[in-house]
């Protein structure tokens, strides 16, 4: 496995890799969710490139960029073990050169859900992902379903800007008790960790109600809200039952739906989702 930092090094190492080329962008502090995307990329592509870059532009003013967990030696070992060909660790100066002023702003799709709670977040995500795509030039790029709105935003951007690549979405990876894998889980206290699977239980309860015939968006939102509120350590920020493409809240489900939620446990904010189709 080769590790590079500069754009020039990336370009020459990338040019030597046989295609099709799969790309997994990450912010590091890798877990089994990231590795499952690498494994998917390895199944579908001849070469796999991973980037590790903690993107300052996607953190809000109240979100602590410096506290974001980092462990590059451990990440590199995991990627080596997973059989990655090339790892790119760009510097902030490469991604945001002095005087930087070119941003990618998607409109409606970034307004609800995570975008509503984290203004500017998807502007940072879309901009950095577009720059990573430009630099790496992948045939397929891999993202986890856990960040459902991020997937929708990136798919929209790829269509709108005619990026010549395919977005592949890997399923959410979970602990045995249902908690979705996330770099943020490490911030949970023991009691919060024990409480956190309530997100998945709430999603499953709504899925069961849907399977039993419930089609009301409000009823499913209320069901998830009350399931989470049974857990005293959980504080709901939002629960949603939204259209799969527009992400607008649904009154009635006619053509599938995205169930999603953001819930605080102390200072730690967890998200999770499930698709009804
Ligand atoms: O999902 C992430 O880890 C990040 O949002 C991404 C896609 C690597 C962009 O910084």
């Amino acid at each position: 496995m080769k590790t590079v930092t500069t754009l020039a090094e990336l370009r020459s190492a990338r040019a030597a890799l046989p295609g099709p080329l799969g790309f997994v962008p990450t912010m590091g502090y890798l877990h089994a969710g990231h590795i499952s995307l690498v494994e998917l990329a390895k199944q579908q592509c001849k070469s796999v490139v991973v980037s590790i870059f903690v993107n300052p532009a996607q953190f809000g003013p109240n979100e602590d960029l410096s506290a974001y967990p980092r462990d590059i030696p451990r990440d590199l070992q995991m990627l080596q073990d997973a059989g990655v060909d090339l790892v790119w660790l760009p510097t902030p100066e490469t991604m945001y050169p002095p005087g930087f002023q070119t941003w990618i702003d998607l409109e409606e799709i970034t307004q609800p859900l995570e975008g509503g709670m984290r203004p500017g977040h998807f502007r940072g995500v879309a901009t950095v992902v577009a720059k990573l795509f430009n630099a790496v030039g992948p045939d397929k790029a891999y993202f986890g379903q856990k960040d459902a709105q991020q997937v929708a935003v990136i798919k929209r951007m790829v269509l709108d800007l005619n990026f010549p690549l395919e977005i592949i979405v890997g399923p959410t990876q979970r602990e045995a008790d249902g908690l979705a894998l996330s770099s943020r889980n490490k911030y949970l206290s023991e009691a919060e960790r024990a409480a956190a699977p309530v997100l998945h239980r709430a999603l499953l309860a709504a899925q069961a109600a849907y399977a039993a015939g419930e089609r009301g968006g409000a009823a499913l939102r209320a069901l998830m809200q009350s399931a989470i509120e049974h857990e005293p350590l959980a504080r709901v920020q939002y629960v949603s039952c939204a259209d799969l493409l527009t992400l607008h809240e649904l009154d009635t489900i006619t053509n599938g739906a995205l169930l999603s939620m953001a819930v605080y446990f102390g200072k730690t904010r967890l998200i999770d989702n499930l698709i009804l189709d």
Side-chain angles (χ1 to χ4, degrees):
M1 182 177 84
K2 203 172 162 87
T3 303
V4 295
T5 305
T6 67
L7 257 179
E9 287 169 331
L10 171 76
R11 286 183 179 137
S12 85
R14 191 261 175 259
L17 291 174
L21 188 130
F23 175 46
V24 185
T26 80
M27 298 213 300
Y29 210 72
L30 304 179
H31 51 64
H34 298 106
I35 299 304
S36 73
L37 295 179
V38 168
E39 281 163 2
L40 200 53
K42 280 190 67 76
Q43 282 162 26
Q44 299 181 348
C45 301
K46 275 232 169 66
S47 309
V48 178
V49 177
V50 173
S51 65
I52 302 177
F53 178 64
V54 182
N55 175 30
Q58 68 190 74
F59 286 76
N62 302 323
E63 299 173 359
D64 195 351
L65 168 67
S66 61
Y68 195 82
R70 292 162 169 89
D71 191 343
I72 296 291
R74 178 175 151 277
D75 289 347
L76 293 178
Q77 189 59 56
M78 286 171 78
L79 296 174
Q80 165 110 47
D81 294 347
V84 166
D85 300 283
L86 175 61
V87 183
W88 184 31
L89 299 141
T91 62
E93 294 71 32
T94 299
M95 299 314 280
Y96 299 103
F100 186 86
Q101 50 186 297
T102 306
W103 295 97
I104 297 190
D105 239 328
L106 287 88
E107 296 179 353
E108 282 157 42
I109 200 159
T110 61
Q111 301 306 312
L113 307 177
E114 288 301 286
M117 300 299 156
R118 305 178 68 190
H121 172 69
F122 287 117
R123 181 187 196 237
V125 170
T127 303
V128 85
V129 170
K131 288 178 61 92
L132 294 167
F133 285 173
N134 278 338
V136 174
D139 298 295
K140 296 178 195 280
Y142 295 80
F143 294 87
Q145 176 56 35
K146 177 168 162 284
D147 295 304
Q149 190 174 11
Q150 170 168 282
V151 167
V153 166
I154 290 167
K155 281 185 170 171
R156 184 71 255 170
M157 178 185 78
V158 164
L159 274 176
D160 289 353
L161 298 183
N162 307 115
F163 276 104
L165 56 87
E166 194 185 343
I167 299 297
I168 309 285
V169 183
T172 301
Q173 302 295 309
R174 298 183 181 280
E175 303 279 7
D177 59 9
L179 177 64
L181 297 191
S182 162
S183 308
R184 292 168 187 228
N185 294 350
K186 86 172 211 105
Y187 297 129
L188 299 169
S189 69
E190 207 173 311
E192 289 164 353
R193 171 64 190 83
V198 72
L199 274 77
H200 190 227
R201 286 202 301 277
L203 290 167
L204 292 180
Q207 186 183 43
Y210 177 76
E214 179 61 74
R215 292 293 179 270
L220 293 181
R221 285 187 287 273
L223 196 157
M224 292 188 286
Q225 174 101 22
S226 99
I228 299 167
E229 281 172 356
H230 272 96
E231 176 48 70
L233 292 180
R235 188 164 49 85
V236 178
Q237 189 180 41
Y238 69 78
V239 292
S240 162
C241 172
D243 181 84
L244 283 166
L245 289 179
T246 65
L247 305 183
H248 292 156
E249 291 302 318
L250 291 171
D251 291 332
T252 309
I253 304 175
T254 49
N255 206 8
L258 174 70
L259 302 177
S260 66
M261 54 186 54
V263 180
Y264 277 99
F265 294 84
K267 286 192 176 145
T268 307
R269 182 176 183 275
L270 300 183
I271 58 172
D272 204 348
N273 69 81
L274 187 151
I275 290 177
L276 300 177
D277 54 15

